[in-house]
Amino acid sequence: MASIRVLKSNKLYIDFRYLDERFREVTLLENSVANKKTLAQMAKRLDAEITLGTFDYKKYFPESKSLKKVALLERRKSQGRLGDDIPTLNQQIDRWLKEKEVEWRINYRNTMANLINKHIRPDLGGILLDAFLRDGAITFRSGLAEYRTPSGKPLSNATINRIMTILKAIVEDGCIQHKLITPFDRIKKLKEVKTHVEPFNLNEVTAMIEDVRSDFRSYLITRFFTGMRSAEINGLRWKCVDFERREILVRETFTQGIFEYTKNDPSQREIAMSTPVLEALKRQFESTGHRGRDGLVFCSRQGTPIDAKNFTNRIWKPMLVDLDIAYRRPYNTRHTCATLWLASGEAPEWTARQLGHANTQMLFSVYSRYVPNLTRNDGSAFERMLASTGTTGVVA
């Protein structure tokens, strides 16, 4: 039942319960017998309308700060969920991450947590799950588009889509559990700019191998001619180098200070050693092979794994500057290897297996312009067909 109370400021307010929640609405009326009588009459009407189910909160308190909360409670009532224990997005995130622990590699889990903690929790963490609606999702995405990194760069559409995909997975998981309608209906992904690989040509590869610091020459040869990812080659141990079969066995990775399983199952593979790689690893064995089968193939002077960031800053960048070669990430050694294999005429299926791809789809999507005429359509096959049949013009 609604009651009339007095604030320390001598203003009157109404104290009442609606939809199992307590509300206090302050008025502009001073504490007096006449004003109390006026509010008592209003409170009586308010109680009656709540009982009859005709109460309109906004009609009584149009400027109230509780209107959003009331709208949420009324929506819950209409859905038969009044009184449900609905979590905040922070609570839903915690539950979702806990459930995903068994599915993800440690490094992937850390990456996801970093994105969530940086972009999702600060803006949305305190919102109740069923209070996060479609307009809230669109507003959040707009905020991501306006975000600037410490260096002043905006987030790419690909990054924004990735964050939104994570948020969608978190929210829809909670929606299923609490029987809510997803707020992501008809929210499309932003258009992403297609990126193009920038491999080094063979002359650049040769120059880089000759220029690099001598203790990193075998490392660079192996990267350029096996297509191994940074985490794969930095975690390579001698027990995974089979000189007899001329194979490198990719079984684990090293990144962010942790050894763990490869990126995915197809990444577990055997890479055939070309002669340059075989000779480079034999030379490297003389340097680090004494550490035993569990020892790292490539490591620091202290026997610790090569740090990818340290290699980039202290070896890779100075080398490119010295050779006046346009900067590309070390990952481009992988792209370079793929294009060299394909351009030399190696079968796409074999190339895909060597790179650790599940199929050739990515090869033709990313490296199509480097595939030779045997497997790539560029018009020359049609020209040869016309020439073989003596057709040199178009029949009118």
Side-chain angles (χ1 to χ4, degrees):
M1 182 175 178
S3 58
I4 311 304
R5 302 184 184 279
V6 185
L7 292 173
K8 290 181 179 180
S9 62
N10 210 37
K11 299 288 186 183
L12 296 176
Y13 70 92
I14 300 179
D15 189 335
F16 64 100
R17 294 190 68 82
Y18 176 55
L19 299 177
D20 296 331
E21 293 282 340
R22 185 180 182 184
F23 292 93
R24 300 175 182 84
E25 292 293 347
V26 180
T27 74
L28 297 177
L29 300 176
E30 297 286 343
N31 180 20
S32 69
V33 174
N35 286 339
K36 280 187 174 180
K37 185 176 180 180
T38 299
L39 282 184
Q41 291 175 348
M42 187 182 81
K44 188 175 181 180
R45 292 196 306 272
L46 183 150
D47 279 335
E49 290 179 13
I50 290 176
T51 301
L52 293 171
T54 59
F55 177 59
D56 184 345
Y57 203 105
K58 190 173 184 179
K59 177 182 176 182
Y60 276 85
F61 310 107
E63 304 298 327
S64 175
K65 295 180 180 179
S66 298
L67 289 178
K68 286 187 177 180
K69 180 180 179 180
V70 170
L72 176 62
L73 291 171
E74 289 175 342
R75 186 165 66 250
R76 286 184 184 174
K77 181 181 179 182
S78 68
Q79 296 170 348
R81 299 184 297 100
L82 194 62
D84 284 1
D85 187 17
I86 303 296
T88 63
L89 279 180
N90 266 336
Q91 292 170 327
Q92 173 61 22
I93 288 169
D94 291 337
R95 188 183 72 83
W96 186 76
L97 287 175
K98 186 68 176 177
E99 291 177 353
K100 292 294 182 180
E101 277 187 2
V102 296
E103 299 179 25
W104 295 340
R105 299 183 307 145
I106 294 174
N107 289 318
Y108 184 73
R109 189 161 68 239
N110 290 341
T111 298
M112 295 290 279
N114 287 338
L115 284 172
I116 290 169
N117 293 338
K118 186 174 184 178
H119 295 289
I120 298 178
R121 286 191 193 271
D123 291 337
L124 305 176
I127 299 175
L128 289 170
L129 181 63
D130 62 343
F132 183 64
L133 306 178
R134 186 175 184 275
D135 61 341
I138 294 174
T139 299
F140 174 71
R141 187 178 67 179
S142 298
L144 291 176
E146 296 173 0
Y147 177 86
R148 294 296 180 270
T149 65
S151 62
K153 293 182 179 180
L155 298 178
S156 67
N157 283 2
T159 299
I160 293 174
N161 285 340
R162 185 181 188 190
I163 295 169
M164 291 298 292
T165 298
I166 295 170
L167 177 60
K168 181 180 180 182
I170 293 169
V171 171
E172 290 192 339
D173 178 76
C175 287
I176 292 172
Q177 183 183 15
H178 295 281
K179 299 179 180 178
L180 303 173
I181 298 173
T182 174
F184 288 89
D185 184 37
R186 290 172 289 124
I187 297 181
K188 296 181 179 180
K189 288 187 176 182
L190 299 178
K191 186 177 179 61
E192 298 180 16
V193 177
K194 185 175 180 179
T195 57
H196 301 278
V197 297
E198 298 181 88
F200 297 95
N201 61 47
L202 198 52
N203 289 335
E204 290 174 324
V205 171
T206 302
M208 292 165 72
I209 290 172
E210 291 177 352
D211 184 83
V212 75
R213 224 171 68 183
S214 60
D215 54 332
F216 276 90
R217 187 160 294 131
S218 294
Y219 177 76
L220 203 59
I221 290 172
T222 306
R223 288 196 67 145
F224 267 125
F225 299 136
T226 63
M228 294 177 74
R229 301 177 178 93
S230 297
E232 293 171 345
I233 192 169
N234 293 346
L236 181 63
R237 303 178 194 268
W238 282 114
K239 65 183 178 182
C240 292
V241 176
D242 189 337
F243 284 114
E244 185 176 343
R245 297 175 63 88
R246 292 182 61 152
E247 289 181 339
I248 294 174
L249 316 180
V250 180
R251 298 292 183 265
E252 62 183 341
T253 63
F254 177 83
T255 183
Q256 298 182 24
I258 300 170
F259 284 96
E260 63 177 343
Y261 192 75
T262 52
K263 180 180 179 181
N264 47 41
D265 288 342
S267 294
Q268 296 273 312
R269 64 195 188 278
E270 293 76 43
I271 302 175
M273 289 188 219
S274 60
T275 299
V277 173
L278 178 65
E279 296 303 321
L281 289 178
K282 284 182 177 179
R283 289 192 299 272
Q284 186 65 19
F285 188 80
E286 296 175 4
S287 174
T288 61
H290 65 279
R291 298 180 185 275
R293 283 172 51 80
D294 286 327
L296 291 164
V297 176
F298 302 104
C299 58
S300 68
R301 292 184 177 90
Q302 292 73 37
T304 57
I306 291 175
D307 180 85
K309 187 175 181 179
N310 188 51
F311 168 75
T312 299
N313 292 331
R314 299 186 62 182
I315 306 296
W316 183 259
K317 288 181 179 179
M319 175 184 65
L320 295 182
V321 170
D322 185 53
L323 294 170
D324 195 25
I325 295 176
Y327 181 78
R328 277 149 281 181
R329 297 183 305 149
Y331 193 86
N332 277 273
T333 58
R334 179 171 168 83
H335 293 320
T336 301
C337 182
T339 56
L340 290 176
W341 276 336
L342 291 169
S344 68
E346 295 290 0
E349 292 80 6
W350 179 87
T351 301
R353 288 197 303 273
Q354 296 295 290
L355 292 172
H357 295 163
N359 51 55
T360 60
Q361 180 179 352
M362 183 175 289
L363 285 184
F364 288 107
S365 173
V366 178
Y367 306 113
S368 60
R369 64 186 288 245
Y370 300 97
V371 181
N373 294 342
L374 178 64
T375 54
R376 175 170 62 87
N377 295 325
D378 63 356
S380 59
F382 182 61
E383 295 285 354
R384 288 195 300 271
M385 183 193 74
L386 293 178
S388 68
T389 60
T391 305
T392 57
V394 178
V395 179

